[in-house]
Amino acid sequence: MRRSRAQTTIDFAIGAGVFLLAVAFVVAFIPGMLDPYEGIQRETVTADRVATQLSTDLLGDPNEPYTLDTDCTVAFFGDTSPTTCRFTGSDLTERISVGDTQSVDVMLVADLDDDDAATTLCWDTDSESLVEEGAAVCDVDELLVEQTSDPPTDTGSVVVAHRIVSLANTDVTLLVRMW
């Protein structure tokens, strides 16, 4: 009784060819899929760190994370530095500890009038409450926005980190954009 093998040279060549094509596909296309993330990796990590730092430490009490202190938050966006707050520095890059080469934009947004559109917020010092940008009582100096430069027109190069926080008993979104 003689046994014969069913494998031939052609079967082996086809199997090896399919394997080599699969390896070539992985080597050719996987690095290209990761390329868009290589240039913005530093900004992604930094934006996430800054958003967490602001929402859990600098603008409030670390024992109550994601609850912002009203006085410290208004002072942060108003370019003043009260002694009771946890941040120091004369400009935004010093306050959040980023280099001068990175551009950053920090803002608070919310939908206060339930029109399904989040808007930049202002702090009305007369009524001591949050109002949306564009309201009659919203002064440009009271906008809760701080930025180092204007964002680029190419939105693909902007990295955004956000945290849902509480300010003056209102849920708002803290946005940190870096480019």
Side-chain angles (χ1 to χ4, degrees):
M1 193 174 359
R2 216 173 133 222
R3 293 191 167 182
S4 61
R5 294 179 68 188
Q7 184 177 11
T8 64
T9 306
I10 294 174
D11 294 334
F12 178 75
I14 291 172
V18 169
F19 175 75
L20 289 175
L21 284 174
V23 168
F25 174 80
V26 168
V27 168
F29 291 106
I30 296 297
M33 289 190 292
L34 299 176
D35 279 345
Y37 303 107
E38 288 180 11
I40 59 173
Q41 183 175 7
R42 182 182 72 181
E43 284 86 3
T44 302
V45 172
T46 306
D48 192 52
R49 176 191 59 84
V50 168
T52 300
Q53 183 181 20
L54 287 171
S55 61
T56 61
D57 185 33
L58 292 181
L59 298 180
D61 184 359
N63 295 324
E64 292 184 54
Y66 306 104
T67 302
L68 305 184
D69 179 84
T70 305
D71 294 331
C72 288
T73 303
V74 171
F76 179 84
F77 290 104
D79 291 331
T80 59
S81 187
T83 57
T84 58
C85 297
R86 303 172 90 65
F87 59 86
T88 58
S90 60
D91 65 358
L92 180 61
T93 56
E94 290 177 5
R95 291 178 179 182
I96 59 175
S97 301
V98 297
D100 292 335
T101 59
Q102 288 184 304
S103 296
V104 64
D105 183 3
V106 179
M107 68 176 63
L108 291 173
V109 299
D111 180 18
L112 298 179
D113 58 6
D114 295 325
D115 64 355
D116 295 329
T119 308
T120 306
L121 298 176
C122 288
W123 180 254
D124 181 21
T125 53
D126 296 332
S127 66
E128 293 192 1
S129 64
L130 291 169
V131 294
E132 289 187 353
E133 179 182 20
V137 293
C138 179
D139 188 20
V140 175
D141 297 335
E142 298 172 335
L143 272 174
L144 299 179
V145 175
E146 190 72 25
Q147 63 188 39
T148 57
S149 65
D150 291 330
T153 56
D154 175 22
T155 58
S157 62
V158 177
V159 176
V160 179
H162 65 282
R163 301 290 183 273
I164 306 298
V165 296
S166 176
L167 175 64
N169 296 320
T170 305
D171 290 337
V172 299
T173 302
L174 171 72
L175 292 177
V176 176
R177 299 185 309 173
M178 298 192 90
W179 57 93

